[in-house]
Amino acid sequence: MRLYIIRHGETKLNALGCLQGWTDEPLNKSGRDLAVITGEALKEVPFDLVITSPLKRARETGELAVAASEAFFGKKIPVIEDRRLMEFNWGSWEGLCCLESNFEIPDPNYNSFYTDPFQYQGAPDGESVADVMKRTADFFNGLIHNPAYEDKTILIATHGCALRAMLNPLYENKDSFWQERVPYNCAVTIIDAKEGQAKIIDKDRIYYDESLCFDHYKVVSDNVKS
């Protein structure tokens, strides 16, 4: 089994630096463009299946990322949605902005989402990072142990926090949740799995010019939160 795990392309809320979580935001033009570029780079990959978060930005990224492969091989690739691949749920904080210039999050401990994510609890009506790790692990372990998929090539379209949560057990440094940063939009991690054992072959690869990489989310200074 070979897995190509992609973070969705950019959205308007990404560009504004706002929390989007379960907000069903579509890709913006840049997001669609990067997904198409990524798909062109992967056109000779014989995908059998796309598994995607049901959120628009992930599903659209998944479909765009396999479109060139569909054309190259002359076949339609089926798409399955799985709610376990959805992003961190910010609850009532959805849509609030979190940059130095527009900070709105009512949480003095917000920076711990980046500095101590394993313990981060999020909004009272949302999820913790531990919650996301649990549901994405349930998805991933079920997938790699599924004999129906053992010889398949699958594209998985998901989100930044969900991707890091799902792949944490496979990273060399498991104590580093973010692996230095939120994955760039349309970054791809390639994994080989056999008999329930998985390993990373290529991590956070981008197929577009590095000048188009943006780190939308990061720690903010204490005076911004006060």
Side-chain angles (χ1 to χ4, degrees):
M1 185 187 308
R2 174 156 285 192
L3 308 175
Y4 290 74
I5 305 180
I6 187 170
R7 183 192 172 204
H8 63 81
E10 188 185 72
T11 69
K12 178 179 69 175
L13 289 180
N14 283 155
L16 292 173
C18 300
L19 306 179
Q20 68 188 324
W22 286 18
T23 302
D24 204 7
E25 186 78 10
L27 298 179
N28 62 15
K29 183 179 184 304
S30 174
R32 292 189 298 273
D33 289 346
L34 295 187
V36 170
I37 292 169
T38 302
E40 285 294 329
L42 301 175
K43 72 178 182 180
E44 295 185 32
V45 176
F47 290 110
D48 297 295
L49 177 67
V50 175
I51 308 177
T52 178
S53 155
L55 296 171
K56 292 174 185 174
R57 60 191 185 272
R59 176 152 186 154
E60 189 175 1
T61 299
E63 291 174 340
L64 290 172
V66 299
S69 176
E70 289 182 323
F72 185 82
F73 290 100
K75 67 174 184 177
K76 184 66 178 175
I77 299 168
V79 179
I80 297 174
E81 294 183 354
D82 195 306
R83 292 183 62 84
R84 292 171 294 179
L85 291 170
M86 289 174 71
E87 183 57 304
F88 184 95
N89 182 3
W90 287 101
S92 55
W93 299 352
E94 296 269 332
L96 299 182
C97 295
C98 57
L99 299 182
E100 294 274 340
S101 60
N102 59 12
F103 193 81
E104 301 174 318
I105 315 302
D107 180 10
N109 298 313
Y110 172 74
N111 276 343
S112 65
F113 182 56
Y114 301 104
T115 61
D116 190 18
F118 296 106
Q119 304 303 318
Y120 188 66
Q121 295 301 306
D125 56 347
E127 287 186 296
S128 67
V129 171
D131 291 331
V132 182
M133 293 185 73
K134 182 178 180 180
R135 62 173 164 83
T136 55
D138 184 66
F139 164 81
F140 190 78
N141 289 329
L143 178 68
I144 65 174
H145 287 89
N146 188 337
Y149 294 146
E150 63 184 8
D151 296 319
K152 304 301 184 184
T153 300
I154 303 171
L155 183 116
I156 299 171
T158 185
H159 308 264
C161 181
L163 186 153
R164 288 291 189 238
M166 180 169 58
L167 298 186
N168 179 260
L170 302 184
Y171 290 134
E172 184 175 347
N173 180 6
K174 297 173 180 59
D175 293 331
S176 174
F177 180 87
W178 290 110
Q179 301 291 302
E180 300 183 353
R181 68 174 61 87
V182 178
Y184 292 127
N185 292 118
C186 292
V188 177
T189 293
I190 303 173
I191 291 173
D192 278 347
K194 184 177 181 179
E195 298 178 350
Q197 299 297 313
K199 63 179 180 179
I200 294 175
I201 303 302
D202 201 356
K203 174 185 169 187
D204 293 345
R205 183 170 179 181
I206 58 168
Y207 295 90
Y208 53 86
D209 192 274
E210 289 186 9
S211 66
L212 300 176
C213 292
F214 293 99
D215 190 358
H216 298 288
Y217 302 109
K218 58 192 75 177
V219 167
V220 298
S221 56
D222 288 338
N223 65 313
V224 168
K225 297 182 292 177
S226 61

